[in-house]
Amino acid sequence: RISGDTSSIMEISLMLAGVFFAGLASVAKEEGAGKSDEATNLVLGLIVGGLSLVACSLYLIFAQWLGKDVKLNPLDMTLYMSVPAALFLLPFIFYMPHPVGWKGYGALTDWQVLHEVLTYSPGVMSLIALSGFFAIMYNTLQYTMVSELSATHTAFAGNFNKAATIVMSLALGMEALPPAPWGQVTVFAIFGGISSFTAYSVVRASSGGKAGH
């Protein structure tokens, strides 16, 4: 019993450490960006990011319930949940304009963007279809993790993936580190987050792994 309590405390501590390192990376990016528009909107971004984490957590808990209590397999969950997700997004697709990176264009809705793509480069639609196939594979893998591990572990794994993506972007030259000392702080935060997830996975494995939260 004591060992189990110790493992739970360690897991919670490592999760909090992961959240801390994610926040530290955001602060380092803001400080390194100075007074840019991106830095000015950081607070709003953090609020939206926090709300997205809450939504993601509820989503994964619901997926875990579907897998363990309703007994749906990961592929069934992926296909069944795609319908309500698409219906939920329909109003935003048609009625929410957003900035696009095209010269001479203002804010466009996703439907207007699709219309422009069909007009000037219809072949791109094959890439969109391919991305849908990869999305099915990714979601099926995610639901498999939720069923086999836990919603908590899956969410933490998602944070690890984001950190690994940042490392790849830096290595490929797609992103640049902020100027010193915030560049070093960013690197420290990224590897701190990766280390937290790795340690969390080890603790989960050593304590039996499948005891969900």
Side-chain angles (χ1 to χ4, degrees):
R1 177 63 181 172
I2 295 177
S3 176
D5 291 341
T6 302
S7 296
S8 297
I9 293 173
M10 182 66 70
E11 290 172 19
I12 293 173
S13 299
L14 290 170
M15 288 181 62
L16 292 175
V19 172
F20 166 77
F21 285 120
L24 181 61
S26 297
V27 171
K29 184 175 182 181
E30 176 196 21
E31 295 296 332
K35 298 296 183 180
S36 67
D37 292 338
E38 187 175 354
T40 303
N41 295 325
L42 180 69
V43 175
L44 176 62
L46 289 175
I47 294 173
V48 173
L51 292 175
S52 72
L53 288 175
V54 173
C56 181
S57 300
L58 295 175
Y59 164 73
L60 291 176
I61 291 171
F62 179 63
Q64 187 177 33
W65 174 75
L66 287 177
K68 292 190 174 181
D69 294 343
V70 184
K71 305 299 182 184
L72 290 178
N73 64 54
L75 184 58
D76 286 340
M77 282 192 281
T78 299
L79 298 178
Y80 285 141
M81 294 182 72
S82 64
V83 175
L87 292 176
F88 177 80
L89 291 173
L90 277 179
F92 302 98
I93 292 173
F94 288 100
Y95 300 111
M96 179 175 279
H98 55 82
V100 295
W102 299 339
K103 292 183 179 180
Y105 286 86
L108 299 176
T109 64
D110 288 334
W111 179 252
Q112 291 171 322
V113 170
L114 178 62
H115 183 267
E116 293 296 319
V117 170
L118 287 173
T119 301
Y120 294 105
S121 184
V124 173
M125 295 302 298
S126 61
L127 297 179
I128 296 176
L130 183 62
S131 72
F133 172 74
F134 286 125
I136 291 175
M137 292 179 58
Y138 173 81
N139 286 328
T140 302
L141 175 62
Q142 186 179 53
Y143 293 142
T144 301
M145 289 184 63
V146 170
S147 300
E148 296 296 324
L149 300 173
S150 71
T152 306
H153 203 156
T154 304
F156 211 171
N159 289 337
F160 174 87
N161 290 343
K162 291 168 186 159
T165 301
I166 294 173
V167 174
M168 290 180 61
S169 298
L170 292 172
L172 295 174
M174 300 173 66
E175 294 282 349
L177 287 172
W182 297 109
Q184 290 83 343
V185 173
T186 301
V187 172
F188 172 73
I190 291 171
F191 285 100
I194 292 175
S195 300
S196 298
F197 171 76
T198 303
Y200 176 87
S201 299
V202 171
V203 171
R204 288 280 294 168
S206 63
S207 62
K210 289 192 179 183
H213 291 282

